[in-house]
């Protein structure tokens, strides 16, 4: 048990080293740090008797007072949306090559000669990538949460949910990246397919509009089938935004979470199965 | 389960298929091989003979189509079977973002070496392979020979009982080769089984006591190097041999190589015939230059096996 944990730690550490050796991850962290610095130094908030008197941005001050709780909700919602769009796309882009690189000839043979199962090896890499991205998300979200908390005095834990939900959707996408990586060992394909699914998600989410536009019953069934099988990136993003803004969750939100989680599990299990049977 | 053998395969077969399963390629074909614990074993064969596929199957990088393979009595597909194996692949690609020490630490942890032991072993091994000063340098800065040496250190980090080396001295300078050979000889004395896959027949002949030659996926020849390279009969060289005596000696000889620098050479298949010839030469006051047992080289054995050239017959 202790040896297994040490092996997992070694795999995670190796993934961190590889990720940090790539400039794209430094760019990823740099962007988060810039965002934190922006809120730390550029945004100036004056509070009078617990209510916000003025907000200054780049030296320009608002004319009228804003409710600080509303401001925090708006800012947090904006960041949550940013995480869901650019953050997730960047994470997919940065990590797309980390599974194929593990399978490079000359490297995989040596790894497989070690006394660990293939499942352990691939799950160790999966966990490593997840933790690299998690560290960045936590750095950004918690950093902003602390800065906004200090500046406004409002410590809204709902924003921290953005961490969990962003990481959840990335974990699902990473399952797909893992499957594609072990199937084709192509970094480009490992990035393209998840990004395509992310772009497709808002279109698929317009189920009611599509039902009106599609003429035949079979095409509506097909549309619904595709919608239910694929990860609901858009729905989950919308749900997170509602949660951060303390608004009620949309209808069928938890079903979207469950089916997206199922998609991630199936993809990851598929990746493990293919990896366990492949010759190198 | 018999752990007297470091490696034991029975009918091991690997079949690859071309696209759409149109044609099968038997990379390894019903290979049965036993390597004794503590042996120094060389695996030889021309390109495409199936050597690397064989090693990959032993280390579970490729799954056998048929047959079985065991390492110290354990089925090779069990991860535990590989705990006692140290491996250096031929075209290794060590992560260039790691330092030498970092890479050793990572692979040692994957091999189940504790943190305390790793801290002790890493400097020891870097010194052993002559890279003491290079531990903190990224592998991207290493030369081919240095990568090979740090790769050897990686294979030794967990004190394996079976060392599998694929072209261990590839890219290493002559001094480095001698150093590697010394390290391997020291491991042999400690009872470590050493399995080498190499194209350098001279090196294999120098180091390994047993060899196997693979040809077209099949085991073409196996045996002790000493037995395979020992020739039959004796070769006698003498000077100032009168022509009449030369003709007489040739009657009982098996062959006579062309004379060089006035030296008459003749081969006999038995010791008695050679002794009789010596008596005749001494009587005629001829100068005997040398008498030696006929030997072959591993290269000659190899060529005879894979190309059917003159030499020892190929026997599986």
């Amino acid at each position: 048990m202790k040896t297994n944990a040490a092996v997992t730690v070694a795999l995670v550490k190796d993934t961190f080293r590889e990720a940090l050796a790539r400039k794209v991850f430094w760019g990823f962290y740099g962007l988060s740090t810039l965002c934190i610095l922006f809120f730390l130094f550029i945004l100036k908030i004056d509070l009078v008797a617990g209510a916000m008197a003025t907000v200054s941005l780049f030296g320009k001050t608002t004319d009228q007072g804003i409710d600080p709780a509303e401001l925090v909700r708006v800012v947090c919602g904006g960041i949550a949306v940013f995480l869901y769009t650019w953050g997730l796309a960047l994470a997919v882009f940065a990590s797309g090559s980390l599974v194929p690189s593990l399978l490079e000839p000359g490297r995989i043979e040596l790894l497989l000669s070690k006394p660990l199962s293939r499942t352990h090896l691939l799950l160790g890499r999966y966990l490593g990538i997840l933790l690299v991205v998690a560290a960045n998300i936590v750095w950004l979200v918690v950093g902003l949460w602390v800065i906004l908390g200090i500046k406004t005095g409002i410590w809204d834990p709902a924003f921290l949910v953005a961490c969990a939900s962003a990481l959840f959707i990335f974990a699902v996408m990473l399952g797909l990246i893992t499957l594609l990586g072990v199937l084709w060992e192509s970094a480009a394909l490992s990035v393209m397919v998840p990004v395509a699914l992310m772009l497709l998600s808002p279109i698929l989410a317009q189920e009611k509009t599509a039902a009106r536009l599609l003429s035949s019953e079979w095409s509506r069934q097909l549309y619904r089938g595709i919608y239910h099988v694929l990860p609901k990136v858009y729905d989950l993003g919308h749900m997170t935004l509602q949660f951060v803004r303390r608004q009620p969750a949309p209808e069928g939100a938890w079903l979207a979470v469950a089916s997206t989680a199922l998609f991630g599990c199936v993809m990851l299990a598929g990746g493990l199965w293919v990896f366990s049977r492949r010759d190198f | 389960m018999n752990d007297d053998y470091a490696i034991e395969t029975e009918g091991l077969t690997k079949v690859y298929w071309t696209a759409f399963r149109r044609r099968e390629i038997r990379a390894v074909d019903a290979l049965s091989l036993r390597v004794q614990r503590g042996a120094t074993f060389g695996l030889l064969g021309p390109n495409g003979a199936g050597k690397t596929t064989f090693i990959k199957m032993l280390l579970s990088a490729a799954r056998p189509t048929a047959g079985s393979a065991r390492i110290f009595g354990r089925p090779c597909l069990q991860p535990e079977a590989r705990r006692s194996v140290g491996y250096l692949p031929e075209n290794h690609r060590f992560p260039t973002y790691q330092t030498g020490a970092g890479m050793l630490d990572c692979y040692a942890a994957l091999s189940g070496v504790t943190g305390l032991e790793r801290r002790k072993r890493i400097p020891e091994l870097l010194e052993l392979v002559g890279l003491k000063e290079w531990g903190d340098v990224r592998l991207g800065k290493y030369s081919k020979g240095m990568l090979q040496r740090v790769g050897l250190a990686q294979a030794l980090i967990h004190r394996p009982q079976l060392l599998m080396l694929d072209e261990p001295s590839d890219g290493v300078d002559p001094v480095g080769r001698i150093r590697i050979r010394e390290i391997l000889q020291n491991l042999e004395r400690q009872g470590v089984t050493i399995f080498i896959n190499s194209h350098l027949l001279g090196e294999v002949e120098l180091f390994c006591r047993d060899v196997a030659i693979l040809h077209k996926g099949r085991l073409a020849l196996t045996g002790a190097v000493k037995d395979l390279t020992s020739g039959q009969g004796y070769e006698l060289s003498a000077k100032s041999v009168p022509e009449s005596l030369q003709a007489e000696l040739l009657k009982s000889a098996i062959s006579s190589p062309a004379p060089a620098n006035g030296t008459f050479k003749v081969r006999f298949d038995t010791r008695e015939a050679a002794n009789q010839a010596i008596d005749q030469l001494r009587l005629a006051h001829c100068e005997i230059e040398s008498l030696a047992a006929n030997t072959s080289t591993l290269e000659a054995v190899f060529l005879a096996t894979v190309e059917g050239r003159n030499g020892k017959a190929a026997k599986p």
Side-chain angles (χ1 to χ4, degrees):
Chain A
M1 194 69 186
K2 204 176 162 187
T3 314
N4 278 344
V7 168
T8 308
V9 169
L11 290 168
V12 169
K13 269 170 72 179
D14 184 50
T15 311
F16 262 83
R17 285 206 181 110
E18 186 172 348
L20 296 178
R22 289 164 195 245
K23 290 186 178 66
V24 68
F25 271 96
W26 284 110
F28 200 20
Y29 277 87
L31 214 62
S32 301
T33 308
L34 270 178
C35 198
I36 290 168
L37 290 175
F38 172 82
F39 280 93
L40 187 62
F41 294 115
I42 311 293
L43 187 72
K44 196 180 164 195
I45 298 166
D46 288 327
L47 290 177
V48 176
M52 200 169 292
T54 55
V55 175
S56 297
L57 192 64
F58 294 115
K60 289 186 178 175
T61 309
T62 53
D63 296 335
Q64 58 204 82
I66 300 169
D67 175 20
E70 182 58 27
L71 178 84
V72 169
R73 264 184 239 123
V74 167
V75 169
C76 291
I79 293 162
V81 169
F82 172 80
L83 268 178
Y84 257 86
T85 50
W86 292 104
L88 184 59
L90 276 174
V92 167
F93 183 70
S95 54
S97 62
L98 288 174
V99 173
S101 74
L102 186 79
L103 311 179
E104 282 178 348
R107 184 177 184 189
I108 187 66
E109 294 93 333
L110 188 55
L111 287 167
L112 292 175
S113 76
K114 302 297 170 193
L116 69 157
S117 69
R118 290 188 179 201
T119 304
H120 195 167
L121 176 62
L122 194 61
L123 280 180
R125 171 74 27 160
Y126 177 89
L127 184 65
I129 301 171
L130 199 61
L131 289 177
V132 171
V133 172
N136 190 20
I137 291 173
V138 169
W139 167 236
L140 175 65
V141 173
V142 175
L144 288 176
W145 185 69
V146 168
I147 289 165
L148 285 171
I150 291 169
K151 288 199 171 188
T152 62
I154 294 166
W155 299 89
D156 188 359
F159 181 46
L160 295 178
V161 171
C163 265
S165 61
L167 200 58
F168 168 74
I169 198 71
F170 177 72
V172 170
M173 287 301 176
L174 188 55
L176 177 62
I177 290 171
T178 305
L179 174 65
L180 295 168
V182 296
L183 269 176
W184 289 297
E185 295 179 31
S186 162
L189 213 60
S190 299
V191 171
M192 277 161 63
V193 176
V195 168
L197 286 187
M198 283 162 61
L199 293 173
L200 196 65
S201 181
I203 301 165
L204 288 174
Q206 311 309 315
E207 208 182 349
K208 283 175 188 163
T209 314
R212 279 204 312 273
L213 293 173
L214 294 170
S215 55
S216 59
E217 185 53 30
W218 71 265
S219 58
R220 281 193 285 274
Q221 291 288 353
L222 181 69
Y223 187 94
R224 273 188 214 112
I226 294 170
Y227 169 72
H228 286 294
V229 166
L230 294 181
K232 288 143 199 78
V233 183
Y234 176 83
D235 300 51
L236 264 75
H238 183 56
M239 187 181 159
T240 306
L241 189 61
Q242 297 285 86
F243 196 88
V244 169
R245 287 180 174 171
R246 300 260 179 202
Q247 287 168 357
E251 197 185 328
W254 295 108
L255 187 67
V257 173
S259 64
T260 304
L262 184 66
F263 175 86
C265 290
V266 168
M267 292 297 113
L268 183 60
L272 290 168
W273 186 78
V274 171
F275 185 58
S276 72
R277 303 187 65 81
R278 265 199 65 177
D279 286 334
F280 292 96
Chain B
M1 197 162 85
N2 187 347
D3 64 357
D4 287 343
Y5 297 109
I7 297 169
E8 191 179 8
T9 69
E10 199 65 53
L12 198 65
T13 303
K14 182 69 193 176
V15 177
Y16 290 110
W17 293 86
T18 56
F20 307 111
R21 294 177 79 90
R22 279 180 299 186
R23 191 167 63 88
E24 68 167 39
I25 297 163
R26 288 188 167 259
V28 175
D29 193 3
L31 182 57
S32 299
L33 185 72
R34 283 174 173 176
V35 177
Q36 285 279 353
R37 181 188 277 268
T40 49
F41 198 96
L43 185 67
L44 306 171
N47 291 336
K51 306 186 295 295
T52 301
T53 306
F54 176 69
I55 290 178
K56 281 182 177 179
M57 282 193 284
L58 284 177
L59 297 173
S60 85
R63 301 174 77 85
T65 309
S68 65
R70 290 173 177 271
I71 295 173
F72 292 117
R74 285 179 185 273
C76 70
L77 290 174
Q78 286 180 4
E80 206 52 39
R82 302 190 291 274
R83 193 169 294 283
S84 51
V85 180
Y87 174 52
L88 174 64
E90 183 186 4
N91 296 315
H92 49 69
R93 194 175 290 182
F94 297 124
T96 49
Y97 51 82
Q98 295 265 28
T99 61
M103 182 271 271
L104 290 179
D105 187 66
C106 176
Y107 286 118
L110 296 183
S111 302
V113 182
T114 62
L116 196 69
E117 178 73 0
R118 293 203 297 268
R119 281 190 286 280
K120 199 175 129 217
R121 283 288 283 167
I122 291 168
E124 270 177 20
L125 281 166
L126 284 171
E127 189 165 5
L128 183 76
V129 297
L131 295 170
K132 193 182 168 187
E133 311 297 324
W134 288 78
D136 295 329
V137 178
R138 283 195 177 206
L139 293 173
K141 307 275 181 201
Y142 281 37
S143 69
K144 177 94 197 291
M146 288 162 79
L147 283 173
Q148 203 69 7
R149 283 187 280 153
V150 80
L152 181 64
Q154 168 277 135
L156 298 174
I157 192 87
H158 56 298
R159 300 180 197 276
Q161 283 307 297
L162 169 62
L163 194 57
M164 300 184 83
L165 307 172
D166 207 341
E167 303 290 355
S169 48
D170 188 23
V172 182
D173 61 37
V175 178
R177 282 182 187 190
I178 293 167
R179 183 79 194 112
I180 287 177
R181 202 182 308 139
E182 283 170 358
I183 293 169
L184 297 183
Q185 278 164 346
N186 191 28
L187 289 167
E188 186 199 0
R189 280 193 288 276
Q190 292 169 28
V192 175
T193 309
I194 299 170
F195 186 93
I196 295 178
N197 176 13
S198 178
H199 286 103
L200 299 173
L201 299 175
E203 279 210 356
V204 171
E205 190 170 0
L206 213 57
F207 180 71
C208 296
R209 272 184 279 159
D210 300 289
V211 291
I213 298 175
L214 292 192
H215 187 41
K216 294 179 180 169
R218 287 179 166 272
L219 184 62
L221 184 73
T222 185
V225 174
K226 192 179 69 181
D227 297 339
L228 295 173
T229 56
S230 68
Q232 280 190 330
Y234 300 86
E235 185 175 288
L236 182 63
S237 310
K239 277 194 169 175
S240 315
V241 183
E243 281 190 13
S244 57
L245 185 53
Q246 283 187 22
E248 177 113 4
L249 292 174
L250 283 172
K251 284 179 193 167
S252 55
I254 51 171
S255 68
S256 175
N261 301 327
T263 304
F264 172 71
K265 288 185 178 181
V266 64
R267 284 180 185 156
F268 301 98
D269 59 352
T270 63
R271 195 185 302 158
E272 290 73 28
N275 278 322
Q276 207 174 7
I278 290 169
D279 291 343
Q280 287 175 281
L281 289 165
R282 295 300 297 148
L283 267 174
H285 302 291
C286 301
E287 287 178 38
I288 295 170
E289 288 278 310
S290 65
L291 175 69
N294 284 333
T295 56
S296 180
T297 61
L298 198 53
E299 188 176 73
V301 174
F302 179 83
L303 289 173
T305 307
V306 302
E307 290 186 357
R309 289 192 194 173
N310 288 340
K312 275 192 174 257
K315 282 177 190 167

